[in-house]
Amino acid sequence: MSTNDLRPKSARPIRTAERKKNPNPLWTAAVSIQKSYVAQAWSLQGEFRACRFDNVFLLCYKLGTHAQEANVSPDQPSDQNLPRVLGLISVVGIVVGTMIGSGIFIVPASIAADLKSPLLMLMVWVVGGVLSFFGALSLSELGAAYPHAGGMYVYLREAYGPLAAFLFGWTMFLIIDSGSMATLAVAFSSKYLPQFVDLSVVQTKLVAVLLIFVLAVVNFLGVKWGAFVQNLFTVVKLAALAMIIGVVFIFAKGSVSHFFTPAPGPAPTGMAGAFGVALVAALWACKGWEVSTFSAGETKNPEKNLLLGIFIGMLLVIFLYLGANMAYLYAFPVEVVAKSSRIASDAMDFAIGPLGATFIAIAILFSITGACNGHLLTGPRVYFAMARDGVFFRKVAQLHPRFLTPHFSILAISLWSALLCFMGKFEQLFTFVVFGLWIFFGLTVGAVFILRRKKPGLRRPYRTWGYPVTPLLFLAAALFVLVNTLINKFWNSFAGLAIIMLGIPAYLYWRRRSRLKIGQA
């Protein structure tokens, strides 16, 4: 059929044989959709020259697809098939469960070694917690405005365009998310499980991989199962930290004088430099609040629950972190804390004996498992959103027909994380992206300013408290971390940027591939 035959019947001769064969001509279907669709048909008539009237439904589908690409706002959700089943408790569980890994049981010793003052040690945790809370305030505004799967990926896409968003997702998949899971799994099998079971080197690697795949199966079977496991381990973590604080203050023969002596004095490398190094460690221990936004597409009433979940989770973690540090300092002077490689175990051993150290080892195993599950519950939604945008493997955009989970996305990140467990230097690779991750943190909080100017009419159920002061303070903290990392770990920072930049040719490849598929559709 010629392109002229695509005209309505009033504009061309009526062909009796053709009408008998095709009782529903194209113009009847075109009238049933918007007039803009007809305009799209004429602009795309070259594409449909080969279409016959008996393919009218295929043609209408193509018209609808092109009109949707042209007219649908990016503010509308692209994750309609994801079930919204996560409530407020689950969001709190994701925030708390991912933030509390093994850091609070180990990091205080390194901070004490840097500052050598109990007051400064407590102050750095307060500053780190408050700055992280300011960042969470900004993400809450973005999450309420864009309650879709992908979280930070979506905010970066809307504010800066698809390339910046892709580079974030690329780095997440390649190192950040996968590296975090590999680090947690190997720590589980090599540092804490051997306190109960002797394992060879090969067995250690296999246990790490087994942990990842067991949690992958749980999340594969449904987001409700993943959330149940997350909430369970979060309760265990909260109970463990609360027990540490209570047991040490009740049974340990410590002293409140440890909170004040020695008084703050000049550190060997200068007070500002030492405080900066300690602040970086505290900010990393507080990391994890951002991952709850990745599952916004599966959160019930996200405008309310995402905001409250982040607030409640952050306040709980900050309170527990301060309480745990005060318990450590109550039990030991700051110089003893600084020399301990397992400060939580030492404090509990000091309070109630070897039983306390065993309790801490079990608590850390649960804590690591919960943190690893948090990454599998949230991270795959970023790659799912990328694939739906046409800039990642197409399979990753598929949902399981029965469980309604992004099963290929979960499988992909699990396989890559398991492979990293067998690589000898993956922990070094993970340090490469410290610099890049804080670039994305800064860009995401900066998106609050960009989108308020770019999209002033965007519906914002929540607006950042303290705007513009609170996001500016977080941006200053991000800049501080970047400068500090660049000065102290220049080559690691350079390598991190190189890993991120490698995503540019990958992005161009997927964009070209996506356009070719649209052209062939």
Side-chain angles (χ1 to χ4, degrees):
M1 180 181 294
S2 68
T3 56
N4 290 332
D5 288 335
L6 287 175
R7 296 172 297 174
K9 67 177 183 179
S10 61
R12 63 181 176 87
I14 299 177
R15 301 176 182 175
T16 305
E18 181 184 73
R19 287 184 59 83
K20 288 182 179 179
K21 183 178 179 181
N22 302 283
N24 295 311
L26 175 62
W27 68 272
T28 304
V31 169
S32 67
I33 58 178
Q34 297 179 10
K35 292 182 179 180
S36 61
Y37 284 30
V38 179
Q40 288 284 337
W42 286 107
S43 65
L44 297 169
Q45 60 177 302
E47 179 180 347
F48 301 124
R49 285 176 182 172
C51 290
R52 296 178 52 188
F53 270 60
D54 56 355
N55 289 331
V56 63
F57 293 110
L58 175 61
L59 178 57
C60 289
Y61 169 77
K62 291 185 177 182
L63 288 173
T65 302
H66 283 280
Q68 184 181 20
E69 290 174 357
N71 300 324
V72 171
S73 168
D75 298 343
Q76 295 177 355
S78 60
D79 40 62
Q80 295 95 334
N81 295 327
L82 287 170
R84 292 190 179 274
V85 297
L86 299 177
L88 176 61
I89 299 300
S90 295
V91 176
V92 173
I94 291 172
V95 174
V96 175
T98 310
M99 288 182 68
I100 302 176
S102 59
I104 187 58
F105 304 104
I106 302 170
V107 171
S110 64
I111 292 178
D114 289 328
L115 297 177
K116 298 177 173 58
S117 166
L119 290 177
L120 289 178
M121 178 181 170
L122 294 175
M123 185 183 298
V124 81
W125 283 102
V126 172
V127 173
V130 169
L131 290 174
S132 297
F133 188 71
F134 287 166
L137 290 175
S138 297
L139 256 70
S140 296
E141 174 177 324
L142 298 171
Y146 295 100
H148 316 321
M152 287 175 62
Y153 170 83
V154 176
Y155 317 149
L156 291 169
R157 183 190 66 199
E158 298 301 319
Y160 306 103
L163 177 58
F166 174 83
L167 291 178
F168 167 72
W170 162 270
T171 312
M172 276 281 296
F173 183 87
L174 201 62
I175 297 295
I176 299 172
D177 214 24
S178 54
S180 295
M181 286 194 287
T183 302
L184 289 166
V186 171
F188 179 97
S189 63
S190 64
K191 294 182 179 180
Y192 301 104
L193 189 61
Q195 296 184 36
F196 304 98
V197 181
D198 291 330
L199 297 173
S200 65
V201 176
V202 175
Q203 290 173 331
T204 296
K205 301 292 185 182
L206 292 176
V207 169
V209 171
L210 181 62
L211 174 65
I212 291 174
F213 279 108
V214 167
L215 294 176
V217 169
V218 171
N219 285 275
F220 184 100
L221 293 177
V223 66
K224 285 187 176 181
W225 283 106
F228 172 78
V229 171
Q230 188 68 18
N231 294 339
L232 176 63
F233 284 115
T234 296
V235 170
V236 172
K237 293 182 186 188
L238 293 175
L241 279 175
M243 188 173 295
I244 291 171
I245 296 169
V247 167
V248 170
F249 276 112
I250 293 173
F251 296 104
K253 296 179 180 180
S255 173
V256 294
S257 65
H258 296 164
F259 296 143
F260 308 102
T261 56
T269 59
M271 183 63 69
F275 193 87
V277 172
L279 180 60
V280 171
L283 287 170
W284 269 103
C286 292
K287 178 191 171 298
W289 42 267
E290 76 284 354
V291 302
S292 61
T293 65
F294 300 164
S295 297
E298 293 160 295
T299 302
K300 294 183 291 188
N301 192 8
E303 295 87 352
K304 176 184 176 182
N305 288 334
L306 194 63
L307 170 66
L308 288 177
I310 293 175
F311 281 5
I312 295 171
M314 285 289 296
L315 291 175
L316 274 174
V317 172
I318 292 171
F319 176 77
L320 288 172
Y321 276 13
L322 284 174
N325 278 274
M326 292 180 70
Y328 301 153
L329 287 172
Y330 177 76
F332 304 115
V334 67
E335 58 270 16
V336 176
V337 175
K339 295 177 182 178
S340 174
S341 60
R342 296 185 299 171
I343 182 59
S345 296
D346 291 342
M348 287 292 284
D349 183 67
F350 179 68
I352 58 176
L355 180 63
T358 301
F359 169 79
I360 289 298
I362 296 174
I364 292 177
L365 289 175
F366 277 103
S367 184
I368 288 175
T369 304
C372 191
N373 183 75
H375 285 285
L376 276 168
L377 179 60
T378 57
R381 278 66 186 172
V382 175
Y383 323 127
F384 170 80
M386 292 171 64
R388 286 212 160 180
D389 284 349
V391 290
F392 208 48
F393 301 106
R394 285 186 301 164
K395 285 282 188 181
V396 174
Q398 294 183 11
L399 292 177
H400 193 278
R402 177 182 176 186
F403 304 122
L404 297 180
T405 53
H407 54 306
F408 281 110
S409 185
I410 294 171
L411 179 62
I413 192 64
S414 301
L415 288 172
W416 179 239
S417 301
L419 181 62
L420 289 181
C421 289
F422 286 98
M423 295 175 61
K425 297 184 178 180
F426 74 90
E427 290 178 310
Q428 182 182 3
L429 292 175
F430 184 62
T431 64
F432 290 165
V433 298
V434 173
F435 188 76
L437 181 59
W438 277 94
I439 291 177
F440 292 120
F441 274 160
L443 287 174
T444 304
V445 172
V448 174
F449 296 94
I450 299 294
L451 290 172
R452 286 204 181 187
R453 288 183 60 88
K454 187 177 178 181
K455 299 184 179 182
L458 178 66
R459 180 176 176 269
R460 294 176 172 85
Y462 165 77
R463 289 177 176 266
T464 303
W465 177 84
Y467 179 89
V469 176
T470 51
L472 284 175
L473 287 174
F474 183 85
L475 288 175
L479 181 62
F480 178 82
V481 172
L482 291 173
V483 173
N484 184 280
T485 307
L486 188 62
I487 293 174
N488 293 294
K489 296 182 179 180
F490 174 79
W491 289 111
N492 282 354
S493 302
F494 180 81
L497 282 175
I499 291 173
I500 295 173
M501 291 301 103
L502 284 174
I504 294 178
Y507 168 79
L508 295 175
Y509 165 76
W510 266 303
R511 288 290 291 181
R512 181 175 179 273
R513 183 178 177 182
S514 178
R515 288 171 181 169
L516 287 174
K517 290 185 181 299
I518 291 175
Q520 295 171 1

